[in-house]
C-alpha cells in the first residue's frame, strides 16, 4: 500500500514561477514558410516582404511545451511515494521492539537492521513512543521514549556471540503489557528455539489475541552452525547443523585455520532436502591437524559457524611400554593391545617391541613424546632419572599395576604402595570383588557416568596418609583408590592401581576406560588441569581459572575481550554466555576454548503456534522514486514536439523520398544475400553426392585452420594414389550439421575446452553407432610422460568421451585390419611418432585365433591418437607442407599420409581384408 507523496528537493518547485515567462516565449514562433510565385517581372517586387511578423503558435503546442517544462521542474524536485508503515495499522499507540540479536541473526544482520531502521523511521514520522529490548543482552528496563532517541541505540546494536535469552525477558514483557495494554509489538525473530521460550511466548500470546503483534522472520533459510569437532585417526570431522524442516538442498565448505589465522585445509559438505545435520571431514596429516585452532563455515559470518579448538582437543602421540611377557605369546590379550585400542580414537600410539623397557623409555623421551604409559613396568633402572626430568618439564607419565610393579621400589609413583597388593574374591579371600565407587568432583573424571559393571578382583593398595584423599581421582566402593595422581613440577604422574589387561579387573573392557584415558591424555600440556594438583591437608584440589585472551563477536571475528568477560574454569569452560563469551582463555601455551554451541547441540526451529500474529519477511518496501517516470514522460513530449515542428516545416515529403531510397537499398541487399543462402542450403546435398572428409570446428582459429589444411592435403594424396576422388573437406558444427553424409570425421582436441551439450553428444553417439568413425587427436605426444599424469588435452578428451557410449579400447594390434587396408603399416605416425593409436578392442573368432576382427565385421567407431595427424598432412595453396615433422625426415610425413589413407579406406570398406581370400596375395607381396 502506498502512502504520502514526499519531495527530496522541494525547493526546486520554486522554478514553477518561471512558467508564465516560458508561456510568453512559447507564443512566439518563426513565421510559416511562404509560397511565392516566380514571374521574372515581379522578382524584385514581391520576393521579400517589407517586414516580418511573428505568428502565434497553436494553443495545444503551447500547452504541451508548458507541460514539458513543468515535468522537468518536478523531476528536479525528486518526488517519491513513501510506503505505509509496516508495523501495523495503528499509528498512535506505543510501539515495542523485541530484537533477537544472538549469533543466529548475524549472517543476515545487515538485512535485519535495514528493516528495523525502516520501521523505527516510520514510528518517528508518526510520533509514536517506542521501547526496545535486545534479547541477547542482559535484562534492561522496558521504558518508552521518543523514537528519535532510539536511533543511535539501534544503529549501534550488533549481534552477540551467544543465543538470545528470551526467557529472561518474559516477566518484563508481561509487566510492560500491563502498563501499556494498547502497545503494538514488533518482534524481529531469528527463528531459533531456545531455553525459557515458554514464558516469553505466553506473554506475547495475550497481545497477539488483540492483533497487535507483528513477527519478522526468515522462513526460507536457516542459520548454519558447527559443533562436536573430533580429531579421529582418519582426520578432523565436525558436525554441520541447520534447522529442521527445510526441503531444499544446500552445499558449503568448512575451512580450518591455525592460531595465526592462516588456512591449513578445507572440506565440502552438503545437505539433502529435509536433512538438518551433516558432517565435514578434513583429511590432514597429524602434525597439521594439531595446528588447527579454528574451524569456520566459509561465507557464513556468525559465532555459531565457528568452532574453536584448544590444546586439549589436539591429537597427541602416546608411547606405550609393557613389561609383560604375554605381549609376544598372546598379543591379543596383552596390555599393549588393550591400551592401543582404547587410545586409537583420539591419540597416535607408538609401541616398543623387541627392546627392553629402559631402552624403549629412552627412545620415546628422545622423541619428546608428551605422554608415556608403562604397563606393569617395575624396575626403571637408569631411565628413572631421565624420566623424572621429563616429568618436571611437563610430561605425563601413566603407570598401570602388575606383579612387577608390586615387587619393585621406585619413586615415580603418586602414592606410597603397600607391598604385595590386595586380592579380592579368591579362594583364600573373605572379600568379594569391588565395584567402582566414585570419581573425585575436582578431578578430570568429574562428570563421567559412573558404570556399575566394573569389577575389580585385585589392586595395589596405597598406604593411607594425609595426602591420599586429594590425590585420588577414582575410588572403589570400599573407598580404596583405583586411580591416583600427583603433580611433579610442570608434569604429572598418574597410577591405575589395576593392570592394563583383564587379569585384575574388567575395567579395560568398558567404555569408561576409553573416556578416562581421553581425559588423562588431554592433560598433556604445559600446565596440567585442575585435578592434577595435590590437595593440602585433605582439602579439595584448587580450581584453576583462565582469563580471557581473545573472544569472538557475533559475526565470528576475533576481538579484544569486553570488560564484562570473566575468567573460566580450565577443566569446565562451559558454553558462551554474556560473562563468558566464546573465544580463547588463558596463556598462549595453554589456551582453553569456549564455543557458542555444545558438542551435541541441535538447532530446533521456533514454534510460533501459541502466538497469534501477522508474519512478514525481512524485506523493506522502499519508496517509489517518481523521477525516472517523469523523465520518460518529458522525453516523450520532447519527441512529440520535434515531430510536430518537423511536419509543420514540410518534412513529410522529404521523409517519403528518403523512405524510397532506403527501400531500394534493402532490396539490393537482399538480392546480394540470396545466393549465399542458396549455397549454404546446397552444401548437404553436395556432401551426399560426393565423398568428403570432415573435421569438427572447435572455435580455435589456429586449430581449425590446421584441420582444414590437413584434410585438404590428405584429400589430394588420396586422389593421387587411389581410385577415390574425394570432394573438398567440410568443417562441421555437430549441433547443426548433418553428420551422416561423412564416413570419417577428424576431431582435434583443444585443451581446456568444455564438451558439447548432452544433446550434441547424443548426435555424435548416434553417428558412431550408425557406422561412422571419429578420429580423436589430442596432438600432445611430445607432452606425454609414460606412467605419469594425464596432459591437459588428455583430461579434456576424458571429459569428452564421458558423454559417449565408448566400447572397450586397445592399442592397434599388429594384425589389425587397419594396418593393411591399403598400405602395410606397423605404426600410425603423424607430426609426432611417439604416440600410440587406440581402437575398439577386437574379438577372436573360434576358427582363427590369429585373425582379429570386430563382432559383426564392422569398423571401430573411434580412433584415438596423439600424433597430430592434421599437422603432418597440412599443406598450403602450393601443396607445400606447413609444419615440420618431429624426426625432420620426409619419410615420416609419407608414413603419416599412408596412415591417413588406411584410416579412410578402413572407414569406407570395413575390415574385409580379414577374409582369407586376400591372404595369398598379401603373402606374395610381402615375399617380393
Amino acid at each position: 500500500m502506498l502512502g504520502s507523496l514526499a519531495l527530496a528537493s522541494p525547493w526546486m518547485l520554486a522554478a514553477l514561477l518561471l512558467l508564465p515567462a516560458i508561456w510568453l516565449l512559447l507564443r512566439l514562433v518563426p513565421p510559416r514558410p511562404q509560397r511565392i510565385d516566380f514571374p521574372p517581372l515581379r522578382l524584385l517586387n514581391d520576393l521579400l516582404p517589407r517586414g516580418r511578423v511573428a505568428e502565434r503558435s497553436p494553443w495545444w503546442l503551447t500547452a504541451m511545451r508548458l507541460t514539458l517544462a513543468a515535468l522537468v521542474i518536478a523531476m528536479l524536485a525528486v518526488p517519491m511515494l513513501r510506503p505505509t508503515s509496516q508495523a501495523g495499522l495503528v499509528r498512535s499507540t506505543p510501539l515495542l521492539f523485541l530484537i533477537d540479536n544472538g549469533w543466529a541473526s548475524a549472517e543476515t544482520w545487515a538485512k535485519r537492521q535495514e528493516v528495523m531502521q525502516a520501521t523505527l523511521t516510520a514510528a518517528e514520522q508518526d510520533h509514536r513512543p517506542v521501547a526496545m529490548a535486545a534479547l541477547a543482552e542482559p535484562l534492561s528496563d522496558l521504558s518508552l521514549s521518543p523514537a528519535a532517541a532510539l536511533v543511535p541505540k539501534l544503529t549501534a546494536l550488533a549481534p552477540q556471540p551467544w543465543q538470545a535469552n528470551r526467557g529472561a525477558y518474559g516477566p518484563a514483557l508481561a509487566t510492560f503489557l500491563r502498563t501499556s495494554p494498547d502497545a503494538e509489538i514488533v518482534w524481529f525473530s531469528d527463528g531459533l528455539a531456545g531455553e525459557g521460550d515458554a514464558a516469553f511466548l505466553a506473554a506475547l500470546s495475550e497481545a497477539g489475541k488483540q492483533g497487535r503483534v507483528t513477527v519478522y522472520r526468515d522462513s526460507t533459510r536457516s542459520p548454519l552452525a558447527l559443533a562436536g569437532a573430533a580429531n579421529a585417526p582418519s582426520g578432523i570431522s565436525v558436525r554441520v547443523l541447520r534447522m529442521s524442516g527445510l526441503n531444499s538442498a544446500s552445499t558449503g565448505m568448512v575451512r580450518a585455520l591455525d592460531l595465526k589465522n592462516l588456512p591449513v585445509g578445507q572440506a565440502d559438505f552438503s545437505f539433502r532436502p529435509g536433512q538438518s545435520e551433516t558432517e565435514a571431514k578434513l583429511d590432514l596429516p597429524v602434525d597439521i591437524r594439531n595446528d588447527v585452532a579454528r574451524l569456520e563455515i566459509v561465507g557464513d559470518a556468525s559465532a555459531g559457524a565457528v568452532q574453536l579448538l584448544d590444546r586439549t582437543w589436539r591429537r597427541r602421540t602416546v608411547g606405550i611400554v609393557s613389561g609383560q611377557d604375554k605381549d609376544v605369546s598372546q598379543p591379543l590379550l596383552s596390555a599393549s593391545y588393550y591400551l592401543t585400542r582404547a587410545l586409537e580414537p583420539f591419540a597416535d600410539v607408538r609401541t616398543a617391541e623387541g627392546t627392553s623397557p629402559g631402552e624403549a623409555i629412552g627412545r620415546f623421551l628422545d622423541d619428546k613424546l608428551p605422554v608415556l604409559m608403562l604397563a606393569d613396568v617395575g624396575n626403571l633402572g637408569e631411565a628413572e632419572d631421565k624420566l623424572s626430568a621429563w616429568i618436571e618439564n611437563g610430561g605425563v607419565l601413566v603407570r598401570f599395576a602388575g606383579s612387577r610393579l608390586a615387587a619393585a621400589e621406585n619413586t615415580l609413583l603418586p602414592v606410597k604402595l603397600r607391598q604385595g597388593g590386595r586380592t579380592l574374591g579368591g579362594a583364600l579371600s573373605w572379600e568379594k570383588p569391588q565395584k567402582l565407587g566414585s570419581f573425585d568432583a575436582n578431578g578430570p573424571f568429574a562428570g563421567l557416568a559412573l558404570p556399575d559393571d566394573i569389577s575389580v578382583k585385585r589392586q595395589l593398595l596405597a598406604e593411607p596418609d594425609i595426602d591420599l584423599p586429594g590425590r585420588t581421582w577414582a575410588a572403589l566402593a570400599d573407598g580404596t583408590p583405583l586411580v591416583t595422581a600427583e603433580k611433579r613440577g610442570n608434569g604429572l604422574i598418574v597410577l591405575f592401581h589395576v593392570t592394563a589387561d583383564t587379569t585384575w579387573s574388567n575395567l579395560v573392557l568398558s567404555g569408561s576406560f576409553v573416556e578416562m584415558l581421553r581425559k588423562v591424555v588431554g592433560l598433556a600440556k604445559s600446565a596440567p588441569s585442575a585435578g592434577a594438583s595435590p590437595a593440602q591437608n585433605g582439602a579439595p584440589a584448587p580450581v584453576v581459572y583462565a582469563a580471557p585472551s581473545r573472544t569472538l563477536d557475533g559475526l565470528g571475528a576475533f576481538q579484544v575481550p569486553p570488560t564484562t568477560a570473566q575468567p573460566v574454569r580450565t577443566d569446565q569452560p562451559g558454553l558462551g554466555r554474556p560473562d563468558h563469551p566464546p573465544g580463547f582463555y588463558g596463556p598462549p601455551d595453554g589456551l582453553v576454548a569456549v564455543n557458542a554451541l555444545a558438542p551435541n547441540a541441535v538447532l530446533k526451529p521456533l514454534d510460533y503456534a501459541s502466538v497469534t500474529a501477522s508474519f512478514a519477511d525481512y524485506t523493506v518496501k522502499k519508496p517509489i522514486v517518481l523521477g525516472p517516470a517523469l523523465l520518460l514522460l518529458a522525453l516523450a513530449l520532447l519527441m512529440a514536439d520535434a515531430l510536430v515542428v518537423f511536419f509543420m516545416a514540410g518534412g513529410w515529403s522529404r521523409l517519403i523520398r528518403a523512405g524510397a531510397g532506403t527501400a531500394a537499398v534493402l532490396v539490393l541487399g537482399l538480392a546480394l544475400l540470396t545466393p549465399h543462402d542458396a549455397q549454404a542450403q546446397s552444401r548437404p546435398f553436395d556432401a551426399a553426392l560426393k565423398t568428403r572428409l570432415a573435421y569438427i570446428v572447435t572455435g580455435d582459429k589456429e586449430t581449425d585452420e590446421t584441420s582444414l589444411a590437413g584434410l585438404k592435403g590428405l584429400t589430394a594424396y588420396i586422389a593421387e594414389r587411389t581410385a577415390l576422388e574425394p570432394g573438398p573437406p567440410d568443417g562441421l558444427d555437430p549441433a547443426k550439421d548433418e553428420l551422416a553424409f561423412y564416413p570419417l570425421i577428424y576431431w582435434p582436441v583443444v585443451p581446456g575446452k568444455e564438451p558439447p551439450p548432452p544433446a550434441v553428444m547424443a548426435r555424435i553417439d548416434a553417428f558412431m553407432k550408425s557406422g561412422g568413425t571419429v578420429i580423436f587427436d589430442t596432438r600432445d605426444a611430445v607432452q606425454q610422460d609414460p606412467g605419469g599424469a594425464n596432459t591437459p588435452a588428455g583430461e579434456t578428451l576424458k571429459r569428452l568421451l564421458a558423454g559417449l557410449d565408448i566400447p572397450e579400447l586397445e592399442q592397434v594390434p599388429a594384425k589389425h585390419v587397419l594396418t593393411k587396408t591399403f598400405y602395410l603399416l606397423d605404426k600410425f605416425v603423424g607430426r609426432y611418432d611417439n604416440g600410440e593409436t587406440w581402437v575398439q578392442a577386437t574379438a577372436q573368432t573360434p576358427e582363427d585365433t590369429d585373425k582379429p576382427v570386430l563382432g559383426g565385421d564392422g569398423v571401430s567407431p573411434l580412433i584415438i591418437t596423439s600424433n597430430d595427424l592434421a599437422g603432418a598432412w597440412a599443406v598450403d595453396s602450393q601443396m607445400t607442407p606447413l609444419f615440420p615433422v618431429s624426426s625432420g625426415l620426409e619419410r615420416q610425413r609419407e608414413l603419416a599420409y599412408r596412415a591417413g589413407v588406411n584410416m579412410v579406406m578402413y572407414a569406407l570398406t570395413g575390415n574385409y581384408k580379414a577374409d582369407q581370400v586376400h591372404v595369398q596375395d598379401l603373402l606374395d607381396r610381402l615375399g617380393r
Side-chain angles (χ1 to χ4, degrees):
M1 181 183 297
L2 297 180
S4 59
L5 178 66
L7 297 173
S9 302
W11 55 270
M12 286 299 302
L13 295 181
L16 293 175
L17 299 176
L18 300 177
L19 287 181
I22 297 175
W23 175 76
L24 292 175
L25 293 176
L26 292 178
R27 293 184 61 204
L28 303 177
V29 297
R32 181 179 300 176
Q34 291 184 348
R35 181 180 181 86
I36 301 176
D37 297 332
F38 190 69
L41 297 179
R42 301 184 59 187
L43 177 62
L44 299 177
N45 185 34
D46 295 331
L47 181 59
L48 292 176
R50 296 181 179 180
R52 292 177 176 268
V53 179
E55 292 190 358
R56 306 295 184 186
S57 64
W59 66 268
W60 51 270
L61 182 58
T62 302
M64 184 173 64
R65 291 177 174 176
L66 287 175
T67 304
L68 174 60
L71 287 176
V72 172
I73 295 173
M75 179 188 65
L76 295 177
V78 193
M80 62 185 69
L81 286 176
R82 297 185 309 170
T84 304
S85 172
Q86 301 178 37
L89 297 179
V90 181
R91 305 297 294 272
S92 59
T93 56
L95 186 63
L96 173 61
F97 277 20
L98 300 175
I99 302 173
D100 286 347
N101 62 325
W103 66 263
S105 64
E107 173 61 19
T108 57
W109 182 254
K111 180 173 66 173
R112 296 168 185 263
Q113 197 168 41
E114 185 179 2
V115 176
M116 291 187 288
Q117 292 282 8
T119 309
L120 186 61
T121 301
E124 182 180 359
Q125 294 172 352
D126 296 335
H127 305 288
R128 305 177 66 182
V130 181
M132 185 167 64
L135 303 181
E137 297 181 358
L139 182 63
S140 59
D141 184 27
L142 299 182
S143 58
L144 294 170
S145 60
L150 294 180
V151 171
K153 182 178 179 181
L154 183 61
T155 304
L157 192 64
Q160 300 298 329
W162 48 80
Q163 191 171 347
N165 186 11
R166 305 186 190 96
Y169 277 85
L173 176 59
T175 303
F176 175 84
L177 292 177
R178 285 194 297 269
T179 58
S180 302
D182 58 342
E184 184 183 359
I185 299 176
V186 182
W187 178 18
F188 300 95
S189 172
D190 59 20
L192 184 62
E195 298 181 0
D197 286 347
F200 178 82
L201 295 176
L204 273 184
S205 62
E206 294 298 325
K209 294 177 182 178
Q210 304 176 20
R212 294 182 286 105
V213 176
T214 301
V215 178
Y216 282 91
R217 61 178 179 176
D218 194 341
S219 58
T220 60
R221 68 176 304 277
S222 165
L224 298 179
L226 297 179
N231 198 346
S234 58
I236 299 174
S237 64
V238 62
R239 299 169 61 224
V240 186
L241 310 175
R242 71 173 183 178
M243 290 191 298
S244 59
L246 295 179
N247 295 323
S248 59
S250 64
T251 59
M253 179 183 297
V254 173
R255 179 168 53 203
L257 302 99
D258 60 12
L259 281 173
K260 297 180 180 178
N261 210 36
L262 298 176
V264 296
Q266 60 187 29
D268 297 327
F269 66 86
S270 61
F271 286 98
R272 298 188 304 273
Q275 188 180 14
S276 60
E277 178 180 337
T278 186
E279 189 177 56
K281 295 183 178 181
L282 294 89
D283 186 10
L284 298 172
V286 175
D287 293 340
I288 297 179
R289 270 186 272 161
N290 287 341
D291 291 336
V292 175
R294 173 187 173 110
L295 301 175
E296 64 181 15
I297 300 177
V298 178
D300 199 285
S302 74
V306 174
Q307 185 80 0
L308 299 179
L309 310 174
D310 55 24
R311 291 184 175 235
T312 60
W313 172 88
R314 298 179 183 180
R315 193 173 182 87
R316 291 162 177 79
T317 303
V318 179
I320 298 177
V321 180
S322 176
Q324 298 178 346
D325 295 334
K326 64 176 62 177
D327 285 354
V328 177
S329 60
Q330 301 182 36
L332 297 183
L333 298 177
S334 66
S336 297
Y337 175 77
Y338 286 109
L339 289 176
T340 300
R341 295 299 301 270
L343 293 169
E344 278 180 346
F346 54 88
D348 292 314
V349 181
R350 293 173 57 180
T351 58
E353 298 180 0
T355 59
S356 65
E359 293 177 355
I361 292 172
R363 187 176 64 190
F364 288 153
L365 295 184
D366 292 339
D367 293 340
K368 298 180 180 180
L369 268 61
V371 181
L372 283 184
M373 293 190 177
L374 308 183
D376 193 18
V377 176
N379 186 12
L380 298 175
E382 297 179 354
E384 183 169 350
D385 293 338
K386 191 174 182 180
L387 193 59
S388 179
W390 171 78
I391 297 173
E392 292 287 338
N393 291 328
V396 174
L397 175 65
V398 183
R399 307 194 68 174
F400 289 88
S403 58
R404 292 173 177 79
L405 181 61
E409 293 184 3
N410 56 66
T411 58
L412 296 184
L413 291 172
V415 295
K416 186 177 180 180
L417 299 179
R418 288 186 177 181
Q419 294 294 323
R422 173 195 184 194
T423 302
L424 306 173
L428 300 179
S429 173
W430 293 94
E431 301 182 52
K432 296 181 179 180
Q434 292 289 315
K435 294 185 178 297
L436 184 60
S438 63
F439 291 131
D440 182 23
N442 296 313
F445 303 154
L448 295 180
L450 196 66
D452 57 0
D453 57 346
I454 293 178
S455 176
V456 178
K457 297 178 292 185
R458 183 178 178 183
Q459 70 179 130
L460 291 181
L461 287 176
E463 289 286 355
D465 57 26
I466 194 172
D467 295 333
L468 182 61
R471 297 180 183 180
T472 301
W473 284 358
L476 297 179
D478 61 356
T480 56
L482 177 65
V483 181
T484 56
E486 180 189 17
K487 182 180 179 182
R488 295 277 181 92
N490 292 324
L492 186 66
I493 301 177
V494 181
L495 173 64
F496 282 77
H497 290 246
V498 293
T499 58
D501 54 22
T502 58
T503 55
W504 286 19
S505 72
N506 63 349
L507 174 66
V508 296
L509 300 178
S510 67
S512 298
F513 184 64
V514 177
E515 295 302 321
M516 293 168 74
L517 292 185
R518 185 194 301 270
K519 295 288 187 180
V520 172
V521 173
L523 300 175
K525 54 185 180 180
S526 58
S529 293
S533 300
Q536 300 295 332
N537 300 324
V543 177
V544 179
Y545 288 89
S549 174
R550 49 179 173 166
T551 58
L552 296 177
D553 61 12
L555 299 177
F558 282 115
Q559 63 176 359
V560 177
T563 56
T564 57
Q566 301 296 322
V568 299
R569 288 183 55 167
T570 55
D571 59 334
Q572 298 178 12
L575 297 179
R577 55 182 188 267
D579 54 342
H580 298 150
F584 284 124
Y585 291 72
D589 59 345
L591 293 177
V592 177
V594 175
N595 287 297
L597 282 83
N600 59 348
V602 177
L603 302 187
K604 297 180 180 179
L606 187 61
D607 186 6
Y608 301 97
S610 61
V611 180
T612 303
S614 58
F615 294 93
D617 291 329
Y618 284 101
T619 55
V620 177
K621 294 182 179 179
K622 298 183 178 180
I624 300 176
V625 180
L626 301 179
L630 297 180
L631 177 61
L632 291 177
L633 185 57
L635 290 176
L637 291 178
L638 184 61
M639 292 181 62
D641 183 89
L643 290 175
V644 169
V645 174
F646 176 75
F647 287 115
M648 290 178 64
W652 179 254
S653 59
R654 299 176 186 175
L655 184 62
I656 293 176
R657 289 194 299 269
T662 303
V665 172
L666 290 176
V667 171
L668 179 61
L670 292 175
L672 293 175
L673 291 175
T674 302
H676 296 282
D677 292 342
Q679 182 178 359
Q681 293 293 331
S682 65
R683 191 177 102 176
F685 299 101
D686 292 342
L689 296 176
K690 195 167 188 178
T691 302
R692 295 171 181 260
L693 303 181
Y695 66 94
I696 295 296
V697 177
T698 63
D700 183 79
K701 182 179 180 181
E702 182 179 353
T703 301
D704 295 340
E705 290 177 351
T706 302
S707 299
L708 177 59
L711 292 187
K712 284 183 178 179
L714 181 61
T715 298
Y717 189 90
I718 292 174
E720 180 182 355
R721 301 296 180 93
T722 72
L724 176 64
E725 296 183 359
D730 288 335
L732 301 180
D733 181 356
K736 300 177 181 179
D737 296 326
E738 178 57 55
L739 307 180
F741 298 117
Y742 305 94
L744 186 70
I745 297 176
Y746 178 75
W747 193 324
V749 178
V750 179
K753 185 175 180 61
E754 291 299 322
V760 177
M761 299 304 295
R763 297 189 64 197
I764 297 171
D765 197 43
F767 165 76
M768 296 169 63
K769 282 183 167 57
S770 301
T773 300
V774 180
I775 301 176
F776 293 96
D777 193 347
T778 59
R779 305 171 296 154
D780 59 352
V782 295
Q783 304 175 13
Q784 293 178 347
D785 182 13
N790 279 347
T791 62
E795 291 292 339
T796 302
L797 177 64
K798 185 177 179 181
R799 295 195 301 270
L800 184 64
L801 297 183
L804 300 174
D805 186 14
I806 299 301
E808 182 182 357
L809 303 176
E810 65 176 354
Q811 295 183 10
V812 178
K815 298 181 180 181
H816 196 278
V817 178
L818 191 57
T819 64
K820 52 191 175 185
T821 53
F822 196 84
Y823 292 102
L824 294 177
L825 301 175
D826 57 359
K827 193 172 183 180
F828 296 87
V829 301
R831 188 181 177 188
Y832 313 116
D833 60 355
N834 60 319
E836 299 292 343
T837 304
W838 297 76
V839 294
Q840 180 179 354
T842 55
Q844 303 294 332
T845 62
E847 294 81 7
D848 187 359
T849 58
D850 292 332
K851 183 180 69 173
V853 297
L854 291 176
D857 203 29
V859 178
S860 175
L862 77 166
I863 301 173
I864 299 176
T865 183
S866 59
N867 282 331
D868 192 7
L869 299 177
W873 302 335
V875 294
D876 59 13
S877 59
Q878 303 299 323
M879 303 304 292
T880 302
L882 293 178
F883 305 103
V885 293
S886 59
S887 65
L889 302 176
E890 287 304 309
R891 175 63 178 171
Q892 180 178 336
R893 193 182 307 277
E894 174 67 21
L895 292 177
Y897 277 122
R898 293 186 178 186
V901 172
N902 274 25
M903 292 178 184
V904 173
M905 294 302 174
Y906 177 61
L908 291 173
T909 63
N911 52 14
Y912 77 99
K913 286 203 173 181
D915 295 337
Q916 295 296 318
V917 68
H918 300 284
V919 172
Q920 188 60 44
D921 294 336
L922 294 174
L923 291 177
D924 293 343
R925 182 177 177 184
L926 288 174
R928 293 197 298 272

